């Protein structure tokens, strides 16, 4: 049930309204770059907004070609795994004045496995 509710929270995550919100989302995505072979391509439109020479203006290209894609990637296999009985769980959390996020994971055979958000 926890995995399902954390996944729903990720799917319901609103688009970033400010640059620091986008930065937090990109940090989350960057943590999983080793699981996504096309990370640079998938995140390129979002990274464009973080350049000093760019004005933060959210357009359909960022929404459909990057943000929604990343939300789907973070909630699907191979990123999400089923819990393994007998292994320790690790809960990562972060909070700000705007929200709170959590990630449940395990280390199985020396490999980090994400159980849910």
């Amino acid at each position: 049930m926890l995995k399902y509710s954390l996944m729903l929270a990720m799917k319901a995550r609103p688009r970033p309204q400010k640059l620091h919100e986008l930065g937090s989302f990109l940090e989350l995505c960057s943590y999983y770059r080793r699981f996504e072979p096309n990370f640079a391509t998938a995140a390129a439109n979002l990274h464009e907004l973080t350049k000093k020479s760019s004005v933060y203006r959210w357009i359909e290209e960022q929404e459909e070609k990057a943000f929604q894609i990343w939300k789907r990637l973070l909630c699907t296999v191979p990123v999400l795994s089923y819990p393994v009985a007998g292994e320790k769980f690790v809960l990562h959390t972060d909070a700000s004045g705007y929200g709170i996020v959590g990630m449940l994971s395990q280390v199985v055979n020396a490999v980090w496995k994400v159980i849910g958000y």
Side-chain angles (χ1 to χ4, degrees):
M1 191 63 161
L2 176 63
K3 178 180 175 180
Y4 183 70
S5 62
L6 291 171
M7 228 167 50
L8 284 178
M10 177 57 73
K11 286 182 179 183
R13 185 182 183 124
R15 73 176 178 86
Q17 298 293 320
K18 299 178 182 172
L19 187 58
H20 75 272
E21 293 173 4
L22 175 60
S24 295
F25 183 74
L26 285 171
E27 284 180 36
L28 174 68
C29 295
S30 293
Y31 183 82
Y32 299 100
R33 72 182 318 137
R34 65 182 176 214
F35 300 112
E36 178 52 47
N38 298 315
F39 173 83
T41 304
N45 289 322
L46 298 178
H47 279 291
E48 282 296 316
L49 292 176
T50 64
K51 292 182 178 177
K52 289 190 185 262
S53 60
S54 294
V55 175
Y56 188 82
R57 198 177 98 210
W58 195 270
I59 59 175
E60 185 178 334
E61 197 164 313
Q62 280 87 18
E63 183 69 30
E64 296 303 322
K65 293 186 178 176
F67 184 63
Q68 293 301 326
I69 289 171
W70 266 105
K71 283 176 37 174
R72 282 191 296 274
L73 286 172
L74 291 170
C75 293
T76 57
V77 173
V79 174
L80 293 181
S81 299
Y82 287 102
V84 176
E87 297 291 336
K88 290 184 182 179
F89 288 93
V90 178
L91 181 61
H92 303 268
T93 60
D94 191 20
S96 70
Y98 301 98
I100 187 168
V101 66
M103 178 188 72
L104 184 64
S105 61
Q106 286 183 309
V107 179
V108 180
N109 298 325
V111 177
W112 282 96
K113 303 283 186 177
V114 178
I115 307 303
Y117 302 101

